[in-house]
């Protein structure tokens, strides 16, 4: 399959899945069956691929082959949930099982996250996810599993279910430890953003929080290295503190700045539409802060993915705010997203997903 055929296949597959997912909210149909059909094609697409994704062969060489002879609990990594998946594929002597299972877990949690989210236009949510994030999940596979779990777990933040939130974040830290950066959001939302008590204390805590973020941004290399010295499990992340990105024009930063300006312009309307949007707005602000520093460093840019992913829940709500222009606005979001998809993956070659091969 050549590059043009691959592009057509991606666009067709993602569009059909989005259409079916939108159709699944109609009570005249078997909603559960339709939503499952919507992701089956995506599972096949991601599961049978060969050599697609920058880290594809890296996963095979660094994990699959090594787990053929290594024990899960005596291996080089402490991310045991991921190693169980690798070990299973190694026992069955088929590395594509590893890729299929990671893809399956990601899509299941994305499906559940969207189905129980309060945003109405489910089809547009999955459309934004597929065209912006899904192909990247074929590269940063473990982290995108955790991103999907985080989006799923936002429900537990809103409903104040600390035990369930802690359970999912804790369990999937054994898939990729980076998910732990999302844990404080429960307390930020329920005890600061959404609390009407102790206004002065809130202001102090918010000030401390902002100061901590600023300190981390400018001293994160020292912090990561220090943690690597004190806590053995952090040693493998010290390499990220030294990874530098190309200092050329940063497309993703400009893109995120554009998105955030739209959100801030509609901030009051979004908050009035649903109070839970206050958390999402806070999250995407943090995303731009991390991305601005991630302009030079890969570690912070990867961490920001958890926060960046929340845009998929914000932009479909603009259709409710501007209901009289709903059709035009939805068409505009669809076109801009697809153009960004073509630029990011097809033209610039991010994550090395062209051409598609099996």
């Amino acid at each position: 399959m050549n590059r043009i055929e691959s592009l057509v296949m991606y666009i067709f597959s993602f569009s059909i899945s989005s259409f079916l997912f939108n159709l699944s909210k109609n009570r005249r149909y078997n909603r559960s069956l339709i939503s499952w059909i919507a992701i089956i094609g995506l599972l096949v697409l991601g599961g049978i691929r060969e050599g697609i994704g920058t880290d594809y062969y890296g996963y095979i060489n660094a994990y699959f082959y090594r787990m053929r002879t290594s024990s899960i609990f005596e291996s080089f990594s402490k991310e045991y949930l991921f190693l169980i998946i690798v070990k299973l594929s190694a026992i069955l002597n088929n590395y594509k099982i590893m890729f299929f299972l990671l893809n399956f877990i990601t899509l299941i949690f994305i499906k559940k996250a969207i189905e129980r989210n309060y945003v109405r236009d489910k089809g547009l949510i999955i459309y934004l996810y597929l065209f912006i994030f899904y192909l990247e999940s074929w590269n940063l596979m473990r982290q995108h599993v955790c991103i999907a779990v985080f989006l799923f777990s936002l429900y537990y933040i809103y409903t104040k279910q600390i035990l369930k939130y802690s359970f999912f974040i804790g369990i999937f830290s054994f898939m990729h430890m980076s998910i732990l950066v999302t844990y404080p959001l429960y307390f930020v939302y329920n005890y600061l953003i959404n609390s009407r008590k102790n206004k002065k204390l809130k202001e102090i805590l918010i000030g401390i929080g902002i100061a901590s973020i600023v300190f981390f941004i400018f001293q994160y290399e020292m912090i990561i290295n220090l943690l690597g010295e004190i806590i053995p499990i952090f040693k493998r992340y010290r390499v990220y503190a030294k990874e530098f990105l190309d200092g050329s024009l940063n497309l993703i930063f400009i893109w995120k700045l554009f998105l955030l300006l739209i959100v801030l312009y509609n901030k009051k309307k979004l908050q009035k539409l649903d109070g839970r949007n206050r958390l999402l707005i806070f999250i995407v602000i943090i995303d731009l802060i991390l991305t601005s520093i991630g302009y030079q460093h890969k570690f912070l840019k990867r961490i920001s993915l958890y926060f960046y992913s929340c845009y998929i829940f914000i932009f479909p709500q603009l259709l409710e705010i501007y209901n009289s222009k709903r059709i035009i606005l939805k068409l505009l979001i669809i076109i801009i997203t697809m153009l960004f998809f073509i630029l990011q993956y097809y033209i610039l070659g991010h994550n090395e997903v062209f051409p598609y091969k099996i």
Side-chain angles (χ1 to χ4, degrees):
M1 186 178 294
N2 61 37
R3 285 170 56 82
I4 291 293
E5 291 172 341
S6 301
L7 178 63
V8 172
M9 181 200 66
Y10 285 138
I11 292 175
F12 178 77
S13 301
F14 296 168
S15 298
I16 290 296
S17 293
S18 302
F19 171 76
L20 290 173
F21 211 94
N22 191 57
L23 193 67
S24 70
K25 68 181 182 181
N26 194 316
R27 294 182 181 275
R28 291 180 298 175
Y29 304 100
N30 187 324
R31 289 182 288 181
S32 179
L33 177 61
I34 295 295
S35 64
W36 275 107
I37 293 174
I39 69 167
I40 286 176
L42 301 172
L43 286 172
V44 173
L45 203 64
I48 67 173
R49 73 189 194 276
E50 177 64 42
I52 305 300
T54 305
D55 290 345
Y56 187 92
Y57 291 115
Y59 269 70
I60 295 173
N61 295 325
Y63 298 107
F64 177 77
Y65 288 136
R66 293 178 71 175
M67 285 306 297
R68 281 178 162 179
T69 56
S70 298
S71 167
I72 292 173
F73 298 105
E74 295 178 356
S75 71
F76 49 93
S77 173
K78 303 301 180 185
E79 290 161 334
Y80 300 121
L81 184 57
F82 169 63
L83 294 180
I84 290 172
I85 292 173
V86 181
K87 190 65 176 180
L88 176 62
S89 64
I91 291 172
L92 297 175
N93 197 30
N94 189 339
Y95 55 78
K96 287 195 175 183
I97 292 174
M98 171 178 65
F99 296 123
F100 177 83
L101 289 176
L102 291 172
N103 190 43
F104 177 76
I105 297 169
T106 300
L107 287 173
I108 290 301
F109 275 103
I110 286 295
K111 174 180 178 293
K112 294 297 182 181
I114 294 173
E115 286 176 341
R116 68 179 186 178
N117 190 269
Y118 58 88
V119 181
R120 293 181 183 179
D121 198 323
K122 311 296 186 186
L124 188 54
I125 298 176
I126 192 69
Y127 178 91
L128 292 173
Y129 173 78
L130 292 176
F131 278 92
I132 297 175
F133 296 105
Y134 183 55
L135 291 185
E136 186 179 61
S137 75
W138 291 2
N139 177 24
L140 308 176
M141 287 172 267
R142 292 181 299 135
Q143 186 171 352
H144 270 275
V145 168
C146 290
I147 289 170
V149 171
F150 164 62
L151 294 176
F152 166 82
S153 300
L154 284 172
Y155 176 81
Y156 298 127
I157 295 179
Y158 296 135
T159 55
K160 297 184 178 181
Q161 299 187 59
I162 180 66
L163 293 179
K164 289 184 178 180
Y165 186 71
S166 300
F167 172 79
F168 280 101
I169 299 302
I171 286 295
F172 279 88
S173 68
F174 292 102
M175 175 67 70
H176 201 276
M177 281 189 58
S178 63
I179 195 175
L180 293 174
V181 303
T182 67
Y183 189 68
L185 290 174
Y186 180 92
F187 305 97
V188 169
Y189 179 71
N190 286 299
Y191 295 101
L192 294 177
I193 295 176
N194 204 40
S195 175
R196 298 179 181 179
K197 300 179 180 179
N198 302 320
K199 186 176 180 180
K200 290 185 178 180
L201 178 61
K202 284 172 58 178
E203 291 175 352
I204 293 172
L205 291 174
I206 289 173
I208 293 173
I210 293 173
S212 299
I213 291 171
V214 172
F215 178 77
F216 176 76
I217 286 172
F218 288 102
Q219 299 295 329
Y220 76 91
E221 291 184 35
M222 178 271 289
I223 293 171
I224 294 171
N225 287 324
L226 182 62
L227 287 172
E229 292 291 339
I230 298 173
I231 307 173
I233 199 171
F234 278 94
K235 284 185 178 179
R236 62 194 302 263
Y237 290 96
R238 292 169 65 184
V239 65
Y240 291 123
K242 299 178 181 179
E243 288 191 55
F244 289 85
L245 294 173
D246 188 344
S248 60
L249 179 63
N250 194 320
L251 168 67
I252 196 66
F253 175 77
I254 296 172
W255 168 252
K256 288 184 178 183
L257 179 61
F258 168 70
L259 298 181
L260 183 60
L261 289 175
I262 294 174
V263 171
L264 293 179
Y265 178 79
N266 293 281
K267 179 181 176 182
K268 291 183 179 180
K269 293 177 180 178
L270 285 166
Q271 291 176 344
K272 184 178 180 181
L273 181 66
D274 196 301
R276 288 170 288 190
N277 285 328
R278 290 196 294 270
L279 175 61
L280 298 182
I281 294 169
F282 173 82
I283 286 173
V284 295
I285 291 173
I286 297 299
D287 169 54
L288 189 68
I289 293 173
L290 294 175
T291 303
S292 65
I293 308 301
Y295 182 84
Q296 291 292 333
H297 298 278
K298 188 179 291 187
F299 173 74
L300 288 181
K301 193 167 184 178
R302 287 185 175 183
I303 289 297
S304 72
L305 288 173
Y306 290 99
F307 305 94
Y308 175 39
S309 64
C310 289
Y311 276 112
I312 68 172
F313 296 133
I314 295 178
F315 272 82
Q317 295 184 72
L318 296 179
L319 304 185
E320 298 176 47
I321 293 174
Y322 299 100
N323 191 52
S324 62
K325 302 176 181 178
R326 184 182 187 92
I327 296 177
I328 295 175
L329 183 57
K330 186 170 185 176
L331 185 61
L332 187 61
I333 292 173
I334 288 172
I335 292 172
I336 291 175
T337 302
M338 188 174 294
L339 290 175
F340 180 77
F341 165 79
I342 293 171
L343 176 62
Q344 182 180 24
Y345 295 107
Y346 183 75
I347 298 176
L348 297 179
H350 290 182
N351 299 290
E352 300 179 23
V353 293
F354 283 92
Y356 183 81
K357 295 176 289 185
I358 57 175

